[in-house]
Amino acid sequence: MNEPLTRPRRSTVLQQERALRRFRAEVGADVPSIKSGSPRSQWSAAPWVVAAVDATLRRGHGPAWLAVGLGTGLLVYFALPYEPMAAALLLALVVGAWWTYRRMSGVPQVLGLFGLALLAGMALGALHTWAAFAPTVPEQMTSEIEGRIIRVEQRTATRARITLADVAVERLDAEATPHNIRITARADPGDLSVGTRIRGLASLQPPPEPVRPGGYNPRLNLYFDRIGATGFAFGRVEALPAQPWGSVFTSAASALAQLRLDLAMRYQDQVAGEAGILVGALLVGRRDGLADETYQDLRQAGLAHVLAISGMHMALVTLTALGAFYALVSLSPKLSADTGVARWAAFGALAIALAYLCLSGASTATQRAFVMISTVLLAVVFMRQALTLRAVGLAALIVLAIRPVALLGPSFQMSFAATTALVAVYGAINRSPRLWRYREALRERPKAVQRALLPFSWIVGIGATSLIAGLATAPFAAYHFGEAVPLGLLGNLLALPIVTLVVMPMGLLVLLLTPFAMEALPLFVMAQGVEAVLAVAHVVAAMDGARLPIAALEARAILALTGAGLLAALLVGRAKLLALVPLSALLVGGPFAPLPVAYVEADASVMAIVRQTEGQMPWLDRSPGRGGSFAVSRWQEAIGGEGAAEHTTQWRCDPLGCVTRIGGGATLAFAFEPAALAEDCRVADIIVTPLAAPEACEAPLVLDRAFLNTHGAVALHGSEGAPSGYRAELSFPNRPRPWQR
């Protein structure tokens, strides 16, 4: 009587165990479940919280959540109004780690680990800031300089931007001299080489500041590069006799940088025009001299990612190398009989990927791609699943540990947004029972039918990949560049097959044959492919609607969209609905920053009034005079307008200054000379001047030299509570952080 009952129960248990093993093998999870009733996981939280945490850990998303915690901590650190104490952060990290390990278990322990990752991010940011501290020049100066070249960027045919280390500035003491400086000098291609020590007369100034509040801050990145001055050299610089490079690391870095420069020049000598520049960008990560118009066309065609060596380039190079090594290893009867043929091929491809990382310059996107592809190849060696969000999280942790400030840049954000979205979406598709049934049905079809469907599947794959990556990166492109590219999908459908089948395989062959001076033929074929990609970019960019200007997004909008995307990607099952919580924040106030009334540059050399006619796009009415074109173009992106006028009849000017009316009817005076300030202080509502305004100035709002030196660029907004009816949005309410001083 008991036997018929026992067998079904046993078979059910075995089926469940087999299903669990298949599930764990599929997701690569080795994390034990969190049972709310176990002695080590008693917690009063709702059961669905325990289930959500358990599910995401079983799916193998633990490293990704640690990366989210680390990134959140870095965001908090960079957003703090004052510099925190690194010692206090480290102490809190140690105490928190001890408390989490000894006093917590279950879900609280998991949440505690996330909090520790957040604290680790803050501590990491503080330590990198302390390590990167270097002097900056206090003001603009002209002085004799001397230094060793560590980077050369050929901007035009006659001018190059060079970065110098081991700097000596005649007018500065050794303690006040920046560690590195960056100047533009007159130089023909190939004149300057990495490691050469040069001397010359140069104009130096402190690192540039943001041109608008909330905009890109070049001073932040220059701080972490230890660049304390920028400027330009008068005439040609003088090359000094060769000197020892210093440490082994410095010598190796300089030799590698010079090798990249030499290879780029070599390829450009053989491939004329911008195709040669693009070849250098794809093979060694140098795109010096690429025309702005060409770059704009590539960006508007959705092909700007082709210039940045990232996952696509690394994958194509590595997979080509993997196939070649597999074929070579298979020629050996001994190795072919061994089950480790794929492993040997994976090791060879990993070596190629490492060499490509070094030659490409190891940018943020390339570092992420290398970590991802290394994970895939090591998974081949150890026979594990690789393309998971666990690998994405590991890559993010490594990149942020190397350069925390990369988190704030478009390269990191767009690269990881695209990768996370692709892995999450394709992972969900691969787990779909419908897909498995479709694949099984396809295997039963005749071989001719299967081969006929391959091109269609390939096109659908390219289109789906471009669409997913484009949607994931669109908010970040709008935030950083003020535009959307609606025709990017078309550009990728037309260009990516050329890049995949021609450009990158030939590129790998070029790199392998260059030491033997036999790269001419594959380089010619690669150049033809590059020309075809450029032709696609020009055609697509010329179409109507290729570029859609978008006004500046609020930072909170990007945070909300990022949070929603991460929750949707990392949570499992119904818990994904939590992604709607950050999205609801966009309903309060909208995603766009309020349109200002006017912009003022940090040195008051130029300003612009935001004009808008009903039913038309806003435009900038800039102040008279030359200069400030870069600032005006960035302001134009921020308002999402179409064009900027030099000035209009709404500016009334004389040799002393200009006066205009702004929104709301207020009078704004732009004073050039001290003689204009006396009258302007009596009649104007707002005064903007690069001079020092009198202390007794009666104007309700004065933006003079002292004010702008303290607070940087300003955006004026209407405000009924302000004395003048307008408030000033400041780039720096104060300057307590090291990179702001």
Side-chain angles (χ1 to χ4, degrees):
M1 295 293 294
N2 294 334
E3 187 175 2
L5 297 176
T6 303
R7 286 180 178 175
R9 290 177 182 174
R10 185 185 179 196
S11 63
T12 302
V13 172
L14 291 175
Q15 289 175 3
Q16 292 176 348
E17 290 180 353
R18 293 192 190 102
L20 180 60
R21 284 196 296 269
R22 286 197 302 270
F23 174 76
R24 288 181 174 176
E26 176 190 352
V27 301
D30 52 6
V31 181
S33 62
I34 300 174
K35 298 180 180 178
S36 58
S38 63
R40 292 183 56 81
S41 59
Q42 298 293 339
W43 196 41
S44 59
W48 68 269
V49 176
V50 178
V53 174
D54 185 32
T56 189
L57 292 181
R58 280 185 173 275
R59 190 62 62 82
H61 295 172
W65 281 113
L66 290 179
V68 172
L70 189 75
T72 303
L74 285 170
L75 281 178
V76 171
Y77 168 77
F78 285 114
L80 289 174
Y82 294 95
E83 190 69 19
M85 295 179 60
L89 289 174
L90 291 175
L91 179 62
L93 187 62
V94 172
V95 173
W98 177 84
W99 186 268
T100 301
Y101 177 74
R102 297 297 301 271
R103 299 288 183 178
M104 293 183 180
S105 62
V107 173
Q109 188 175 57
V110 173
L111 298 180
L113 289 174
F114 183 86
L116 288 176
L118 192 149
L119 277 176
M122 297 179 65
L124 180 66
L127 289 176
H128 272 260
T129 299
W130 172 79
F133 175 77
T136 60
V137 295
E139 59 185 2
Q140 185 172 357
M141 64 174 65
T142 299
S143 177
E144 194 80 17
I145 64 167
E146 184 179 319
R148 176 174 53 84
I149 298 177
I150 59 174
R151 182 175 175 82
V152 179
E153 303 167 80
Q154 196 72 36
R155 311 298 287 185
T156 67
T158 58
R159 301 196 73 81
R161 188 170 70 178
I162 56 178
T163 304
L164 302 176
D166 302 330
V167 179
V169 180
E170 188 177 41
R171 294 180 54 186
L172 294 176
D173 297 333
E175 295 78 11
T177 301
H179 286 202
N180 301 329
I181 65 174
R182 192 173 69 188
I183 61 173
T184 301
R186 185 184 302 173
D188 297 327
D191 281 358
L192 301 175
S193 59
V194 176
T196 302
R197 194 164 185 86
I198 62 170
R199 180 172 55 202
L201 183 66
S203 174
L204 301 179
Q205 60 186 9
E209 297 184 349
V211 297
R212 67 175 181 88
Y216 170 67
N217 186 4
R219 177 170 285 199
L220 176 64
N221 287 284
L222 292 176
Y223 174 88
F224 284 95
D225 288 333
R226 312 193 79 185
I227 296 177
T230 61
F232 60 91
F234 294 97
R236 292 184 179 270
V237 295
E238 175 189 0
L240 300 177
Q243 297 181 2
W245 278 348
S247 67
V248 174
F249 176 79
T250 302
S251 301
S254 298
L256 181 60
Q258 184 59 40
L259 174 62
R260 294 177 57 232
L261 179 61
D262 291 342
L263 289 176
M265 298 300 300
R266 175 172 177 168
Y267 299 144
Q268 290 180 30
D269 289 341
Q270 299 180 61
V271 181
E274 294 189 322
I277 298 174
L278 211 57
V279 167
L282 292 170
L283 297 184
V284 295
R286 298 187 64 94
R287 57 183 185 190
D288 306 350
L290 186 68
D292 292 339
E293 296 79 7
T294 301
Y295 178 70
Q296 290 297 331
D297 286 352
L298 287 167
R299 198 165 78 178
Q300 292 175 22
L303 297 174
H305 64 91
V306 174
L307 291 175
I309 297 178
S310 57
M312 179 188 70
H313 307 76
M314 186 69 73
L316 292 175
V317 168
T318 307
L319 290 176
T320 303
L322 184 66
F325 277 114
Y326 196 94
L328 290 175
V329 173
S330 299
L331 295 177
S332 170
K334 180 179 180 181
L335 293 178
S336 298
D338 190 6
T339 58
V341 175
R343 296 181 178 182
W344 285 110
F347 279 123
L350 184 61
I352 294 295
L354 179 61
Y356 191 44
L357 172 72
C358 296
L359 282 177
S360 66
S363 66
T364 298
T366 315
Q367 293 173 23
R368 186 267 309 161
F370 175 75
V371 174
M372 290 288 296
I373 208 70
S374 300
T375 305
V376 172
L377 294 173
L378 291 176
V380 173
V381 173
F382 296 105
M383 294 181 290
R384 295 290 301 272
Q385 186 180 4
L387 287 175
T388 64
L389 289 172
R390 174 187 297 181
V392 180
L394 178 63
L397 289 171
I398 294 175
V399 171
L400 290 177
I402 296 173
R403 186 174 174 83
V405 74
L407 177 69
L408 305 180
S411 177
F412 179 94
Q413 295 171 9
M414 298 177 72
S415 175
F416 277 94
T419 304
T420 302
L422 289 170
V423 173
V425 171
Y426 280 123
I429 293 175
N430 288 332
R431 288 189 295 270
S432 172
R434 293 182 178 180
L435 178 65
W436 289 102
R437 287 195 294 268
Y438 169 77
R439 288 176 175 173
E440 291 297 328
L442 185 61
R443 291 192 184 99
E444 297 176 0
R445 297 290 184 90
K447 294 294 184 181
V449 175
Q450 296 183 30
R451 286 193 292 268
L453 290 176
L454 280 179
F456 175 75
S457 301
W458 190 39
I459 294 174
V460 171
I462 292 177
T465 300
S466 301
L467 181 61
I468 295 169
L471 291 175
T473 58
F476 302 99
Y479 180 76
H480 291 285
F481 307 119
E483 66 178 11
V485 287
L487 300 182
L489 178 59
L490 175 62
N492 280 273
L493 284 174
L494 296 175
L496 285 189
I498 304 173
V499 176
T500 303
L501 297 178
V502 179
V503 174
M504 294 312 299
M506 289 297 104
L508 176 59
L509 199 56
V510 167
L511 290 176
L512 294 176
L513 295 179
T514 294
F516 309 101
M518 299 171 61
E519 76 278 8
L521 180 58
L523 185 59
F524 173 79
V525 178
M526 181 184 181
Q528 301 308 305
V530 168
E531 291 281 7
V533 172
L534 287 174
V536 169
H538 295 320
V539 170
V540 174
M543 295 180 178
D544 293 336
R547 178 181 182 272
L548 178 63
I550 297 178
L553 295 176
E554 290 273 27
R556 61 177 176 81
I558 289 296
L559 291 176
L561 291 171
T562 302
L566 289 172
L567 291 175
L570 299 181
L571 293 178
V572 179
R574 294 181 179 179
K576 290 180 180 292
L577 294 176
L578 289 175
L580 298 176
V581 175
L583 285 179
S584 63
L586 295 178
L587 301 178
V588 182
F592 298 104
L595 198 65
V597 176
Y599 288 107
V600 181
E601 201 174 19
D603 60 357
S605 61
V606 67
M607 68 169 299
I609 311 299
V610 180
R611 311 284 190 190
Q612 187 171 17
T613 305
E614 186 175 354
Q616 296 183 358
M617 297 291 293
W619 55 281
L620 293 178
D621 184 8
R622 61 160 291 169
S623 57
R626 295 185 176 182
S629 58
F630 176 78
V632 173
S633 63
R634 299 289 82 78
W635 297 340
Q636 189 66 37
E637 290 179 358
I639 66 173
E642 294 292 346
E646 280 296 317
H647 62 279
T648 70
T649 54
Q650 298 183 52
W651 287 98
R652 301 195 308 273
C653 300
D654 59 32
L656 302 180
C658 295
V659 177
T660 188
R661 294 268 185 187
I662 61 176
T667 301
L668 183 147
F670 192 18
F672 306 151
E673 300 292 340
L677 288 173
E679 180 181 357
D680 291 341
C681 284
R682 292 195 305 269
V683 301
D685 299 298
I686 304 171
I687 292 178
V688 178
T689 179
L691 310 171
E695 294 184 3
C697 186
E698 301 174 1
L701 181 58
V702 179
L703 308 179
D704 66 346
R705 181 173 60 197
F707 184 93
L708 295 173
N709 285 343
T710 302
H711 301 295
V714 170
L716 289 177
H717 294 269
S719 176
E720 295 181 358
S724 63
Y726 298 88
R727 66 176 178 85
E729 182 186 1
L730 311 175
S731 294
F732 305 112
N734 44 54
R735 292 179 182 263
R737 310 305 297 273
W739 56 83
Q740 296 174 347
R741 300 167 187 163

